[in-house]
Amino acid sequence: MTLLADTDLDVDAALSFRFAPAVQDRLAAFRGRCTVVRLATLDNEVLGVPRWYTLQEAWAEPGSATAASWSGNPVVAVGPSDDPELVLATGTPVVVVGADNAAARWTRQVVDAVRATCRSVLVVDMGGRPDPSYADIATYGFDRRHGAALLGLLTGR
């Protein structure tokens, strides 16, 4: 993966992002309507809230342009007991969001299944140990700031 920072983003958060080859060229396809597949990884033990709480706060921030363009996207939550061969009835690009995607067999199976059945797929790993095979974008954090920087990247803001 290569390092890329976009000056329109939260520079401190975006500087930690790593991108797989050619991902930058494909980002525009995910800036319109897309389907979000959220891998239901472990809750945040320290805060006692779901791991995605801070990301959801960023993407639902009232009055923000990012929230306005992103919050209308359908979200499919997938957990370890769900069939990895899920069928997405969508012609839109798909963004898969998880944390440490390669760490569990079920998350790898979901990513592989989505990549096999959908035309345009972008896999985001917000965990601390991303594997390049399961991360087109690695954010190295899932706090509100990293979530806002990711949404800025995905919405072009």
Side-chain angles (χ1 to χ4, degrees), residues 46-152:
V46 176
L47 298 177
V49 295
R51 185 179 292 256
W52 304 117
Y53 180 75
T54 52
L55 175 60
Q56 285 177 240
E57 270 187 349
W59 104 32
E61 188 172 329
S64 78
T66 300
S69 65
W70 190 255
S71 62
N73 289 328
V75 177
V76 177
V78 181
S81 61
D82 293 323
D83 183 352
E85 298 295 323
L86 63 106
V87 176
L88 295 175
T90 181
T92 64
V94 177
V95 177
V96 179
V97 181
D100 299 321
N101 298 339
R105 183 169 39 127
W106 75 268
T107 55
R108 292 188 308 270
Q109 289 174 329
V110 171
V111 170
D112 291 342
V114 171
R115 283 179 168 164
T117 58
C118 299
R119 267 182 306 145
S120 297
V121 179
L122 180 71
V123 180
V124 178
D125 191 324
M126 298 187 80
R129 299 176 317 247
D131 177 324
S133 301
Y134 291 93
D136 297 319
I137 298 175
T139 66
Y140 295 95
F142 54 85
D143 58 37
R144 183 182 172 93
R145 202 180 85 212
H146 283 86
L150 174 64
L151 294 178

